[in-house]
Amino acid sequence: NTDWYLATYVTEKQMLSTLHWMELIMFVIAVAAAVLLILCILNITGRVVKPVQNVTGVIGKIAEGDFTQNLNVSGTDEIAVMSKNMQMFISKMRSTITEISNTAEWLNNQSLENEKVSDTLMDSSEAQKNSMELLSRLSGELSNAADEVDCQMDYLSELIKQTHEDGNRARKLMQ
C-alpha cells in the first residue's frame, strides 16, 4: 500500500509482434481453409456433376436413336437410382424395338406369302376364265351341231318317209 507507481515501457513493435504472428497464422489458416473448402466443393461437385453429365450424354444419344448405350450404375444416391431406372428403360426399349422388328419381319414374310397365294389365285382365276370361255364357245358349237343334226334328222325322216312311199308304190305296181 504505497503511493508508488510502476511504469514499464514496451515498444509498439514488441507489443504488436505477437499480434502480427497471430495475424499471419490466422491468414494462413484462412487461406488453407479456403483452399480446403474449394477442394471439397470441387470434389463434391465432381461426384454429382459427372454422373449427371454421363446420364445426360446417354439420354442425348438415345434421343438420337442409339439404343446401344449403357449406363454404369454404382452407389445408392438419387443419381444412381435415376441411372438404374434409366438403364431399365433402355433395356425395355431394346426389347420393344426387337419385338417390333420381329413383328415387322413376320408381317413382311406374311405379305410375301399372301402375294404368292394371290398370284396363284389370279393364275387359277385366269385359267378358269379361259376354260369358261372355251366351254361357252363349245356349248355354242354343240348347240349349232345339235340344230344341224335336228335338221339332218328331219331331212332323213322325210327321205325315209318318201322312200317308204316310193317302195309301197313300186310294190303296187309290181303286183
Side-chain angles (χ1 to χ4, degrees):
N1 293 341
T2 65
D3 290 330
W4 291 16
Y5 292 103
L6 181 61
T8 60
Y9 174 76
V10 179
T11 64
E12 183 180 340
K13 185 176 179 182
Q14 286 177 332
M15 194 163 142
L16 294 179
S17 71
T18 306
L19 185 60
H20 285 306
W21 265 117
M22 286 178 68
E23 281 180 345
L24 183 62
I25 291 172
M26 291 300 281
F27 178 75
V28 169
I29 290 173
V31 168
V35 168
L36 186 61
L37 181 64
I38 290 172
L39 290 176
C40 287
I41 289 173
L42 289 175
N43 186 18
I44 291 171
T45 305
R47 287 184 187 193
V48 171
V49 170
K50 184 177 179 183
V52 170
Q53 286 176 336
N54 185 26
V55 170
T56 303
V58 169
I59 289 172
K61 288 179 182 177
I62 288 172
E64 293 171 359
D66 182 5
F67 286 92
T68 61
Q69 299 296 309
N70 285 314
L71 286 171
N72 297 325
V73 180
S74 62
T76 57
D77 60 355
E78 293 83 4
I79 295 172
V81 170
M82 183 177 70
S83 296
K84 180 181 175 188
N85 290 336
M86 188 63 191
Q87 185 61 42
M88 287 172 37
F89 170 76
I90 293 168
S91 296
K92 284 274 191 188
M93 286 302 294
R94 283 182 191 153
S95 175
T96 302
I97 289 170
T98 300
E99 287 177 22
I100 290 171
S101 177
N102 290 341
T103 301
E105 186 176 339
W106 180 81
L107 287 173
N108 185 45
N109 291 338
Q110 290 299 312
S111 173
L112 293 174
E113 286 298 318
N114 287 343
E115 184 179 6
K116 289 177 186 176
V117 169
S118 176
D119 289 345
T120 301
L121 288 174
M122 185 64 127
D123 292 345
S124 295
S125 174
E126 187 67 29
Q128 187 176 15
K129 178 186 140 221
N130 292 339
S131 295
M132 293 303 283
E133 287 174 353
L134 179 61
L135 182 60
S136 175
R137 195 171 62 244
L138 290 176
S139 291
E141 289 177 11
L142 183 59
S143 176
N144 290 341
D147 287 345
E148 183 68 28
V149 167
D150 185 44
C151 287
Q152 292 298 324
M153 290 297 283
D154 287 345
Y155 173 73
L156 186 59
S157 173
E158 191 61 38
L159 190 59
I160 291 172
K161 183 178 168 187
Q162 187 68 33
T163 304
H164 184 55
E165 287 175 2
D166 286 346
N168 283 340
R169 269 185 274 178
R171 209 180 335 188
K172 281 186 188 182
L173 282 175
M174 290 226 239
Q175 286 179 340

